[in-house]
Amino acid sequence: MDSSRIPQPGAELISVRIGDQSYAIDIMAVREIRGWTAATPLPHAPPHVLGMMNLRGAILPVIDLGSRLGLGPAEPNSSSVVVVAQIGEAQVGLVVDAVSDILTVTQGLIQSPPDIGGEILNYVNGVMTSDTGIVSLLSLDNVLPPEPIVLAAA
Protein backbone atom coordinates (compact mmCIF):
# COMPACT_ATOMS: atom_id res chain seq x y z
CA MET A 1 0.00 0.00 0.00
CA ASP A 2 1.43 3.38 -1.03
CA SER A 3 0.98 5.42 2.15
CA SER A 4 1.45 8.69 0.24
CA ARG A 5 -1.89 8.01 -1.50
CA ILE A 6 -3.79 7.25 1.72
CA PRO A 7 -5.73 10.10 3.34
CA GLN A 8 -4.38 11.12 6.74
CA PRO A 9 -6.38 10.60 9.95
CA GLY A 10 -9.11 13.22 10.17
CA ALA A 11 -9.64 13.34 6.39
CA GLU A 12 -13.13 12.62 5.11
CA LEU A 13 -14.24 10.17 2.43
CA ILE A 14 -17.55 9.89 0.62
CA SER A 15 -18.90 6.35 0.50
CA VAL A 16 -20.80 5.49 -2.69
CA ARG A 17 -22.66 2.35 -3.64
CA ILE A 18 -22.47 0.56 -6.98
CA GLY A 19 -24.75 -2.45 -6.90
CA ASP A 20 -23.99 -4.29 -3.65
CA GLN A 21 -20.45 -2.90 -3.42
CA SER A 22 -19.28 0.15 -1.47
CA TYR A 23 -16.45 2.41 -2.54
CA ALA A 24 -14.91 5.50 -0.97
CA ILE A 25 -13.70 8.65 -2.71
CA ASP A 26 -11.58 11.34 -1.07
CA ILE A 27 -13.99 14.18 -0.30
CA MET A 28 -11.40 16.70 -1.51
CA ALA A 29 -11.89 15.40 -5.08
CA VAL A 30 -15.68 15.82 -4.94
CA ARG A 31 -17.06 19.12 -6.23
CA GLU A 32 -20.77 18.35 -5.97
CA ILE A 33 -23.39 15.62 -5.99
CA ARG A 34 -26.29 15.84 -8.45
CA GLY A 35 -29.37 13.82 -9.18
CA TRP A 36 -29.35 11.72 -12.34
CA THR A 37 -30.32 13.32 -15.62
CA ALA A 38 -29.73 11.56 -18.90
CA ALA A 39 -26.38 12.32 -20.50
CA THR A 40 -26.05 13.37 -24.13
CA PRO A 41 -24.32 10.48 -25.94
CA LEU A 42 -20.88 10.89 -27.49
CA PRO A 43 -20.33 8.98 -30.73
CA HIS A 44 -17.54 6.37 -30.65
CA ALA A 45 -16.96 6.87 -26.92
CA PRO A 46 -15.57 4.00 -24.83
CA PRO A 47 -18.26 1.79 -23.23
CA HIS A 48 -17.79 3.33 -19.76
CA VAL A 49 -18.49 6.85 -21.09
CA LEU A 50 -22.24 7.45 -20.93
CA GLY A 51 -21.99 10.83 -22.64
CA MET A 52 -21.68 14.44 -21.57
CA MET A 53 -23.55 16.89 -19.36
CA ASN A 54 -23.72 20.66 -19.02
CA LEU A 55 -22.72 21.89 -15.58
CA ARG A 56 -23.31 25.63 -15.44
CA GLY A 57 -21.85 26.15 -18.90
CA ALA A 58 -19.02 23.61 -18.61
CA ILE A 59 -19.35 20.38 -20.60
CA LEU A 60 -18.24 17.34 -18.58
CA PRO A 61 -17.87 13.69 -19.57
CA VAL A 62 -20.20 11.34 -17.67
CA ILE A 63 -18.55 8.06 -16.66
CA ASP A 64 -20.29 4.85 -15.62
CA LEU A 65 -18.03 4.12 -12.64
CA GLY A 66 -19.34 0.57 -12.21
CA SER A 67 -18.60 -0.27 -15.84
CA ARG A 68 -15.13 1.25 -15.56
CA LEU A 69 -14.46 -0.94 -12.52
CA GLY A 70 -15.58 -4.06 -14.40
CA LEU A 71 -18.88 -4.45 -12.53
CA GLY A 72 -21.03 -4.31 -15.66
CA PRO A 73 -22.95 -1.46 -17.23
CA ALA A 74 -25.15 0.74 -15.07
CA GLU A 75 -28.82 1.20 -15.66
CA PRO A 76 -29.19 4.72 -14.26
CA ASN A 77 -32.59 5.59 -12.85
CA SER A 78 -34.17 8.36 -10.78
CA SER A 79 -32.34 7.21 -7.63
CA SER A 80 -28.89 7.24 -9.29
CA VAL A 81 -26.57 10.14 -8.62
CA VAL A 82 -23.74 11.88 -10.43
CA VAL A 83 -20.71 12.67 -8.30
CA VAL A 84 -18.85 15.54 -9.95
CA ALA A 85 -15.18 14.96 -9.20
CA GLN A 86 -11.94 16.76 -9.98
CA ILE A 87 -9.43 14.38 -11.54
CA GLY A 88 -6.21 16.13 -12.43
CA GLU A 89 -7.17 19.25 -14.37
CA ALA A 90 -10.56 17.89 -15.48
CA GLN A 91 -13.95 17.60 -13.87
CA VAL A 92 -15.99 14.47 -14.64
CA GLY A 93 -19.37 13.15 -13.63
CA LEU A 94 -19.27 9.68 -12.05
CA VAL A 95 -22.56 7.78 -12.11
CA VAL A 96 -23.17 5.67 -8.98
CA ASP A 97 -26.27 4.06 -7.50
CA ALA A 98 -26.19 6.11 -4.29
CA VAL A 99 -24.10 8.15 -1.92
CA SER A 100 -24.15 6.20 1.33
CA ASP A 101 -22.14 7.98 3.99
CA ILE A 102 -19.30 10.28 4.91
CA LEU A 103 -16.45 8.43 6.62
CA THR A 104 -13.75 10.03 8.75
CA VAL A 105 -10.33 8.41 8.44
CA THR A 106 -8.92 7.20 11.76
CA GLN A 107 -5.52 5.70 12.52
CA GLY A 108 -5.43 2.10 11.25
CA LEU A 109 -8.82 2.33 9.46
CA ILE A 110 -7.40 1.79 5.98
CA GLN A 111 -5.59 -1.47 5.26
CA SER A 112 -3.73 -2.77 2.22
CA PRO A 113 -5.93 -4.51 -0.35
CA PRO A 114 -5.35 -8.25 -0.74
CA ASP A 115 -2.45 -9.05 -3.06
CA ILE A 116 -4.19 -10.57 -6.07
CA GLY A 117 -2.17 -8.81 -8.77
CA GLY A 118 -3.68 -7.34 -11.86
CA GLU A 119 -5.08 -3.96 -12.75
CA ILE A 120 -7.61 -3.75 -9.90
CA LEU A 121 -4.85 -2.96 -7.43
CA ASN A 122 -4.11 0.17 -9.46
CA TYR A 123 -7.71 1.27 -8.86
CA VAL A 124 -7.79 0.57 -5.11
CA ASN A 125 -5.55 2.48 -2.67
CA GLY A 126 -6.78 0.55 0.35
CA VAL A 127 -9.71 -1.18 2.01
CA MET A 128 -11.59 -0.59 5.22
CA THR A 129 -14.41 -2.26 7.07
CA SER A 130 -17.65 -0.58 8.04
CA ASP A 131 -20.94 -1.67 9.56
CA THR A 132 -22.14 -2.63 6.08
CA GLY A 133 -19.05 -4.57 4.95
CA ILE A 134 -15.80 -3.87 3.13
CA VAL A 135 -15.31 -0.47 1.48
CA SER A 136 -12.63 -0.02 -1.21
CA LEU A 137 -10.84 3.33 -1.34
CA LEU A 138 -10.65 4.29 -5.01
CA SER A 139 -7.71 5.99 -6.69
CA LEU A 140 -9.58 8.20 -9.17
CA ASP A 141 -6.30 9.15 -10.85
CA ASN A 142 -5.87 5.51 -11.88
CA VAL A 143 -9.53 4.65 -12.48
CA LEU A 144 -9.73 7.50 -14.96
CA PRO A 145 -6.44 8.38 -16.61
CA PRO A 146 -5.53 12.07 -16.57
CA GLU A 147 -5.49 12.42 -20.36
CA PRO A 148 -8.74 13.66 -21.87
CA ILE A 149 -11.18 11.22 -23.40
CA VAL A 150 -10.32 10.93 -27.08
CA LEU A 151 -13.04 9.90 -29.45
CA ALA A 152 -12.18 7.29 -32.07
CA ALA A 153 -12.18 8.38 -35.68
CA ALA A 154 -15.28 7.41 -37.62
Side-chain angles (χ1 to χ4, degrees):
M1 178 169 67
D2 181 357
S3 60
S4 67
R5 296 172 42 182
I6 301 300
Q8 296 299 311
E12 292 184 321
L13 307 171
I14 291 182
S15 174
V16 298
R17 192 173 42 75
I18 302 171
D20 294 334
Q21 304 295 314
S22 292
Y23 297 91
I25 300 170
D26 189 335
I27 201 167
M28 297 306 291
V30 176
R31 298 297 170 247
E32 69 180 85
I33 299 169
R34 304 173 52 90
W36 168 250
T37 55
T40 302
L42 282 165
H44 302 284
H48 62 273
V49 178
L50 295 177
M52 57 190 160
M53 63 183 271
N54 182 344
L55 180 65
R56 293 181 292 284
I59 305 301
L60 310 179
V62 178
I63 307 297
D64 176 353
L65 189 55
S67 176
R68 183 66 179 132
L69 294 173
L71 302 174
E75 295 181 21
N77 57 46
S78 60
S79 66
S80 299
V81 295
V82 178
V83 176
V84 177
Q86 186 78 32
I87 302 175
E89 298 296 317
Q91 286 190 1
V92 298
L94 304 171
V95 177
V96 298
D97 292 333
V99 172
S100 307
D101 203 357
I102 295 180
L103 307 170
T104 302
V105 176
T106 58
Q107 188 68 37
L109 174 70
I110 302 172
Q111 302 172 31
S112 296
D115 185 11
I116 58 170
E119 190 174 62
I120 189 66
L121 293 184
N122 292 330
Y123 295 169
V124 177
N125 280 343
V127 295
M128 61 202 98
T129 57
S130 72
D131 296 338
T132 59
I134 295 175
V135 179
S136 299
L137 173 60
L138 292 178
S139 170
L140 292 182
D141 291 339
N142 291 335
V143 170
L144 300 172
E147 67 270 1
I149 295 169
V150 178
L151 301 180

